[in-house]
Amino acid sequence: MGGLAICVFCASSSRIDRRHLELAEQVGAELARRGHSLVSGGAKVSCMGAVARAARAGGARTVGVIPQALVSVEIADQDNDELIVTPDMRSRKAEMDRRSDAFLVLPGGIGTLEELLEIWTSRVLGMHDKPLVILDPHGMYEPLRDLVVKLADHGFVRPRAFDAISWSRSVPEAFDLLEVRQVHLTPTGEDYAEAEP
């Protein structure tokens, strides 16, 4: 299977360990090798820039989406095949969601966490059936996973939330999971009444 528009959520911070940049480069290269295209946050710096450069080097099409306020801060990647400048962060995320067939989450900061949780929640609520995978070879998201398990144990999160996401420690496995057709989760009235996953 090929030809997916894969949205990669990842860091724009310049103060990160080199291993995270290398992971982003591996993701971009694998994405291109499998014939997919990239949708990203449109920044030239850090992991965002690394994944896009590696994807283009492998022949993949890249689309960057960046809010006007961050064009100079995150340094917009003008080498994208298409660079979309949005009025704000909310419209940025909406445009990235609209253009994507699947979502891959790499280690990142609170912005990446926000993107992950929004996509995860909307999938649990049946608002989309696009694959969502966390690629975490270094265990950065293990505390989050433990937290969600604990919340589920206390009844705050429904077990179905774990059907809406996949976790991986390797790049090839993450792409294998992204390429699997997802089962649409049909929410119950109870899900909507509580408005929580």
Side-chain angles (χ1 to χ4, degrees), residues 26 30 40 49 63 77-78 89 113 119 128 149 162:
Q26 292 167 19
E30 184 71 4
S40 75
V63 176
D77 186 352
Q78 302 292 342
M89 288 291 283
L113 281 174
I119 292 298
H128 72 85
V149 168
F162 297 97

Side-chain angles (χ1 to χ4, degrees), residues 9 11 17 24-26 30 34 55 62 93 101 103 105 109 115 148-150 158 193:
F9 295 134
D17 193 291
E25 291 166 353
Q26 292 167 19
E30 184 71 4
R34 294 191 183 216
T62 65
K93 290 190 298 179
D101 300 312
F103 301 92
V105 185
E115 292 162 337
V148 177
V149 168
K150 187 172 184 178
R158 302 197 182 286

Side-chain angles (χ1 to χ4, degrees), residues 3 92 98 107 159 192:
R92 175 201 218 179
R98 186 182 72 79
Y192 280 121

Side-chain angles (χ1 to χ4, degrees), residues 41-42 63-72 76-78 82-88 91-92 95:
V63 176
V65 186
I66 191 167
Q68 183 63 56
L70 296 182
V71 167
S72 60
D77 186 352
Q78 302 292 342
E82 187 177 358
L83 180 65
I84 301 157
V85 179
T86 63
D88 51 42
S91 53
R92 175 201 218 179
E95 185 66 14

Side-chain angles (χ1 to χ4, degrees), residues 115-128 132 164 195-197:
E115 292 162 337
L116 161 61
L117 292 173
E118 183 172 329
I119 292 298
W120 191 357
T121 300
S122 59
R123 172 139 167 67
V124 172
L125 293 176
M127 296 176 180
H128 72 85
L132 169 60
E196 285 187 314

